[in-house]
Amino acid sequence: MSISDNLQAVRHRIADVAHACGRDPAGITLLAVSKTKPDDSIIAAVAAGQLAFGENYVQEGCDKAQRLAAAGYRLDWHFIGPLQSNKTRQVATWFDWVHSIDREKIAQRLSEQRDIAKPPLNICIQVNVSGEASKSGIAPGELEALADALARLPRLRLRGLMAIPEPTDDVALQRTRFAHLRQLRDDLNARGHNLDTLSMGMSQDLEAAIAEGATIVRVGTALFGARG
Ligand SMILES: *Cc1c(COP(=O)(O)O)cnc(C)c1O
């Protein structure tokens, strides 16, 4: 299967589950996770109509964004990996979104470093909805204080929440995790936030995520094949 065929297949998966649960597929953004994949794979996806790409590693992601911009491509770059404070400037420069914020200090740096000529950097807070089965993301009990702090940062726009639940084939458990993230988003909105984004669901569990309200699904393997 080519990347173009894979894209068609994933778009069909998204549309099928959206229709099955009464959602408009247009409300679900497919983020193509291109980490470790070469520029040619990204260009093949662009040729098939894909515009949003996700990267996990700062140097690799910034290099790709810079090269492809220089080659004339206008793409949306989403940073979805762990971020250390000494790498924030590059991310603030080359990315449009960061999904993996779980500390105020990192967000403050991104806000200070975001070029005034660019639109605000879109931010999601990564939440740990799997308890001890996961290490990354803020605990749900600390979410509201972080959201309140990030909403005050001038060069960021707090868009929503992201989660990477523990991998499981148990669809009921997948849905429990995603429903938890949606509930946390709804709770924040009930307290005055205006979050429109739930970044959840990957190659293996995007159906469960969409059924629970995902607005961005992050898909790598199903588009680009296994990573080496
Ligand atoms: C690698 C990665 C993905 C994509 O995972 P696949 O299983 O290849 O679809 C999505 N989100 C994050 C945060 C990732 O690191």
Side-chain angles (χ1 to χ4, degrees):
M1 294 259 282
S2 68
I3 287 171
S4 166
D5 291 338
N6 292 343
L7 259 173
Q8 290 304 332
V10 171
R11 287 178 185 141
H12 276 120
R13 283 174 66 188
I14 293 170
D16 284 350
V17 61
H19 289 133
C21 54
R23 296 188 57 194
D24 181 354
I28 301 155
T29 297
L30 170 57
L31 181 64
V33 177
S34 46
K35 63 182 175 202
T36 79
K37 299 297 176 181
D39 292 6
D40 283 353
S41 294
I42 296 172
I43 290 168
V46 175
Q50 179 66 28
L51 291 174
F53 293 88
E55 290 282 340
N56 278 60
Y57 309 105
V58 173
Q59 197 60 52
E60 177 192 349
C62 291
D63 288 350
K64 285 174 177 170
Q66 190 167 7
R67 277 197 303 269
L68 289 161
Y73 293 97
R74 292 281 163 273
L75 305 174
D76 270 342
W77 291 97
H78 295 234
F79 189 77
I80 62 175
L83 182 52
Q84 258 89 53
S85 55
N86 61 340
K87 304 270 178 69
T88 51
R89 185 176 296 281
Q90 283 170 282
V91 170
T93 303
W94 290 107
F95 283 84
D96 304 292
W97 285 72
V98 179
H99 293 223
S100 44
I101 297 293
D102 60 5
R103 285 187 290 156
E104 185 180 351
K105 183 184 167 208
I106 298 288
Q108 271 171 351
R109 292 177 61 92
L110 289 169
S111 182
E112 285 160 12
Q113 293 165 344
R114 180 70 167 176
D115 188 334
I116 200 82
K118 289 186 176 154
L121 186 62
N122 295 294
I123 296 290
C124 293
I125 298 175
Q126 183 174 353
V127 185
N128 177 0
V129 290
S130 299
E132 288 176 2
S134 172
K135 292 186 299 281
S136 51
I138 192 168
E142 296 167 31
L143 173 61
E144 189 181 2
L146 182 60
D148 289 349
L150 300 200
R152 288 190 287 266
L153 293 173
R155 302 296 300 140
L156 305 185
R157 183 166 166 219
L158 180 59
R159 296 293 299 268
L161 306 181
M162 181 272 238
I164 313 172
E166 75 273 44
T168 174
D169 295 332
D170 177 348
V171 175
L173 180 59
Q174 293 172 2
R175 289 198 53 162
T176 299
R177 300 307 191 210
F178 294 136
H180 188 187
L181 195 71
R182 183 190 54 194
Q183 185 63 53
L184 292 168
R185 192 269 318 260
D186 292 348
D187 291 347
L188 287 173
N189 284 347
R191 290 166 175 273
H193 284 277
N194 184 21
L195 306 183
D196 62 10
T197 299
L198 282 173
S199 169
M200 58 189 196
M202 320 202 299
S203 294
Q204 298 297 338
D205 56 10
L206 66 89
E207 280 83 3
I210 290 169
E212 296 296 347
T215 65
I216 299 179
V217 290
R218 309 178 310 267
V219 179
T221 309
L223 295 177
F224 298 115
R227 290 176 293 272

